[in-house]
Amino acid sequence: MAAMTTSARLTNRELREAADRLVDDRCDVPAGSVLRTFSRSVRTALLDGVPPAEVVAEAERRTKELLSRRPANRGPRHLRLWAGVGVIDVPRPRRTR
C-alpha cells in the first residue's frame, strides 16, 4: 500500500527534471518563458483532473505544443537591422553634463 501511494504522488524532483528537459530542448526561447509555460501547463493539467502520476508527462506535452506555436527568437537587434527588418527605435534621453 505504501508503494502505491508513493508512486501516485507528484514530486518536485519530477517537475524539476521535466522543466530542465524543456529548457534544454528550446534554446531559442528564454528560460523564463519556458518555465512559465510549463507552470501553467501543470496547473491546467491538475485542474483538468489528470491523475497525479500522469501530470508531469501531460504538462510536458502541453508545454511543447504551446512552445511550438511560438515564433522563434528573432535574434539580436543589430542583426535584424543588417537584414533590413524594420525596428522601432526608442529615443534615449540626452546626457546632461
Side-chain angles (χ1 to χ4, degrees):
M1 183 83 165
M4 190 173 174
T5 57
T6 305
S7 64
R9 291 176 47 195
L10 181 63
T11 64
N12 285 337
R13 186 186 61 155
E14 292 171 337
L15 292 170
R16 257 194 331 264
E17 289 171 355
D20 288 340
R21 281 192 303 270
L22 289 167
V23 168
D24 289 341
D25 287 346
R26 290 300 302 260
C27 297
D28 59 326
V29 179
S33 295
V34 174
L35 295 176
R36 279 190 301 274
T37 305
F38 180 63
S39 174
R40 290 181 185 126
S41 297
V42 169
R43 185 172 48 234
T44 57
L46 289 170
L47 289 173
D48 289 344
V50 176
E54 300 171 14
V55 167
V56 173
E58 177 63 18
E60 197 168 355
R61 184 193 66 75
R62 290 180 183 193
T63 303
K64 286 179 181 179
E65 180 184 330
L66 290 170
L67 290 176
S68 69
R69 295 182 201 163
R70 179 188 171 111
N73 190 1
R74 296 185 188 136
R77 181 177 177 273
H78 69 279
L79 292 178
R80 288 181 294 187
L81 287 174
W82 177 78
V85 178
V87 178
I88 298 173
D89 195 19
V90 178
R92 295 183 182 177
R94 292 183 181 170
R95 290 185 179 176
T96 57
R97 293 183 190 220

